[in-house]
Amino acid sequence: MATSETTTQVSQPCSDYQGFVPHDQLLNCIHCGLCTSSCPTYLVTGNENDSPRGRIHLMRGVEESRIGLNERVRGHLDLCLDCRSCETACPSGVEYGQLIETFRISDRQKQLEKTGKGLNWFERIFLRDLFPNRKRLERVLWPARLMQMMKLDWLIDRVGIIKLLPMPLQRMQRMLPKLQRDQPVLPRSLPAVGTRNARVGLFLGCVADVMFRHVHWACARVLQEAGCEVIVPKTQQCCGAMEFHTGQTESATHRALANVDAFGEQPVDVVLVNVAGCGAMLKEYIHLEKSGHATSDEVTRLNRFAGKVRDITEYLAGLDLAPPQGELPIRVVYQDACHLKHAQQIDQAPRELLNKIPGVEILEILEPNICCGAAGSYNLLQPEMSDELGNRKIDNILAKSPDAIVSANAGCALQLMALLKQRGKKIPVFHPVELFDASQRKVTWDELRCR
Ligand code: SF4
Ligand code: SF4
């Protein structure tokens, strides 16, 4: 194993890191290596230190004070996408996602204690202050929306002025999708069509509500048709994932509790999410308990809330809906989002929904379990690996010549749209419920692809 390279080149073991991650969880790994072939970073670099087994070995070495936590070790750990494909592959039930997240957060907090240095400028301005704030993000994107409406956005690409910006900003510009015409804000509640069978809450998120509000509307319409009253609490916030993953556990906990309160104002049977990354975070609010910023009563409420969260495809598949009537004669690639397939273990529900739509044929691609490289803010912070994986995914998709791509995660959709644009390919990307809704409303394929 190449881990010896790291173990030997580090000369100063440091006992500061004991207790970073629960030792018994590290010991659950029996080093069988069955996860390595499902790890995207290992597939690209071939370096054991970039595999789940290697990273567990590194974390354990640091935790047992055999390995110092230097930049090289951190580099291997930071390269991890937290896609959790290794969890699906692991026969020993190692909760790798919990290990790497706890390790990173502890490392962040330790560095803050030691150096007084907190977030860097990008994390502060974008990941903390901008993205989780829906209204601010909407204001910032207004000029871009205007440029797109006036069809002047190509000018920015042509002039090349963007190249003067720091890399994360260049990548953000590249990731910006074609913004839909202003969609109205969803009202506080939408009635069920016919007899009410359930009252459901709809989670909007932050980036998703600004860039993919049309998906929220599609979900609301399908839910209404299914006999659900849809409640959209106005005080709901971002899920808190960006803060949690950058070690700001206190503000992530406050956000989580604000969401618990928001969805508690009008009792709902379930809380539905249409972004896999947010859904995984909401379902795992209980992990915020370890941050120590919630009282035992608040922990109980977080736990109860998390138990009500469902991905929208999971919920709709459970309702056994009648097939919609509109024909969509298209061949689609369904792209498994890591935070749906691996973090929530949902892969059949979106396919079941798509299979109900008359005319839709699902194409399966090579390496369906391998991440597309989006992984939250990973595509902004680890551009090389993100592009490598994104292009690998696009190659596998294009090999099937689909009419459309379907993904149940806004982050994956943005990543795939950007890479398709870069290659000059006009293949639209949809949420599965968007296609279901279009079929229910008998929107034709020609109308849909030109939206
Ligand atoms: S989470 Fe993904 S990238 Fe990280 S070790 Fe597991 S499979 Fe590899
Ligand atoms: S994480 Fe699981 S699959 Fe991977 S080496 Fe450890 S025990 Fe084996």
Side-chain angles (χ1 to χ4, degrees), residues 38-320:
S38 63
C39 175
T41 53
Y42 179 70
L43 289 184
V44 171
T45 69
N47 184 334
E48 175 73 15
N49 294 304
D50 296 327
S51 77
R53 178 173 63 179
R55 290 185 176 118
I56 289 172
H57 183 89
L58 291 176
M59 287 189 271
R60 185 172 163 188
V62 171
E63 213 271 336
E64 292 175 351
S65 307
R66 290 182 287 103
I67 299 177
L69 186 48
N70 62 16
E71 287 313 305
R72 191 153 178 189
V73 173
R74 257 191 208 107
H76 291 299
L77 297 176
D78 284 350
L79 200 64
C80 170
L81 298 129
D82 197 8
C83 68
R84 296 166 65 173
S85 173
C86 47
E87 273 189 34
T88 304
C90 177
S92 302
V94 173
E95 292 183 17
Y96 177 87
Q98 274 303 298
L99 289 175
I100 191 80
E101 283 166 21
T102 312
F103 190 93
R104 282 173 173 169
I105 290 168
S106 306
D107 184 26
R108 277 282 178 145
Q109 289 171 343
K110 181 68 74 183
Q111 284 190 66
L112 181 63
E113 272 171 36
K114 272 187 175 170
T115 63
K117 282 191 194 153
L119 305 176
N120 63 37
W121 68 270
F122 178 75
E123 292 169 331
R124 232 177 15 253
I125 297 174
F126 292 96
L127 303 188
R128 186 191 66 188
D129 296 340
L130 182 61
F131 291 154
N133 189 322
R134 223 178 300 157
K135 288 204 173 108
R136 236 177 254 171
L137 186 58
E138 208 141 10
R139 278 199 298 272
V140 167
L141 284 181
W142 174 238
R145 196 185 289 276
L146 196 66
M147 294 283 275
Q148 287 187 359
M149 276 161 61
M150 295 166 74
K151 303 205 183 304
L152 288 175
D153 46 325
W154 62 271
L155 200 62
I156 295 183
D157 293 337
R158 181 73 61 87
V159 173
I161 195 164
I162 291 297
K163 294 206 176 87
L164 301 174
L165 295 174
M167 184 51 81
L169 298 190
Q170 286 186 39
R171 291 185 68 80
M172 276 167 59
Q173 190 270 340
R174 198 190 82 176
M175 302 278 298
L176 191 67
K178 184 176 166 215
L179 297 165
Q180 298 273 313
R181 286 189 183 274
D182 265 347
Q183 298 269 325
V185 172
L186 276 86
R188 219 174 269 272
S189 94
L190 292 149
V193 172
T195 311
R196 188 184 87 177
N197 303 318
R199 177 189 268 172
V200 303
L202 186 61
F203 182 79
L204 302 178
C206 48
V207 176
D209 193 38
V210 178
M211 297 188 186
F212 296 94
R213 192 174 289 154
H214 55 287
V215 174
H216 292 333
W217 274 107
C219 291
R221 282 191 294 263
V222 171
L223 287 165
Q224 287 177 280
E225 286 293 331
C228 300
E229 180 188 3
V230 183
I231 304 295
V232 189
K234 289 292 146 193
T235 51
Q236 62 175 298
Q237 304 196 5
C238 157
C239 65
M242 285 189 229
E243 283 151 331
F244 183 65
H245 292 128
T246 48
Q248 304 164 78
T249 49
E250 187 169 1
S251 40
T253 308
H254 289 157
R255 243 182 233 290
L257 288 167
N259 280 326
V260 173
D261 288 343
F263 282 93
E265 278 169 16
Q266 226 174 327
V268 291
D269 304 322
V270 284
V271 175
L272 301 176
V273 196
N274 57 35
V275 176
C278 306
M281 177 72 193
L282 296 175
K283 284 184 177 180
E284 294 181 349
Y285 266 180
I286 188 58
H287 295 317
L288 291 166
E289 176 187 5
K290 294 180 206 138
S291 73
H293 299 298
T295 64
S296 62
D297 173 54
E298 288 169 341
V299 168
T300 308
R301 287 165 57 223
L302 286 169
N303 208 358
R304 206 179 299 135
F305 173 86
K308 279 189 174 184
V309 177
R310 303 279 182 282
D311 184 76
I312 179 100
T313 62
E314 179 185 15
Y315 183 73
L316 292 175
L319 295 183
D320 198 18

Side-chain angles (χ1 to χ4, degrees), residues 421-446:
K421 185 176 159 201
Q422 211 172 37
R423 295 201 191 187
K425 301 282 179 194
K426 291 195 171 161
I427 302 177
V429 183
F430 299 101
H431 188 281
V433 179
E434 230 184 317
L435 290 186
F436 196 89
D437 168 61
S439 172
Q440 258 185 348
R441 293 189 298 131
K442 302 203 175 138
V443 175
T444 66
W445 172 235
D446 281 340

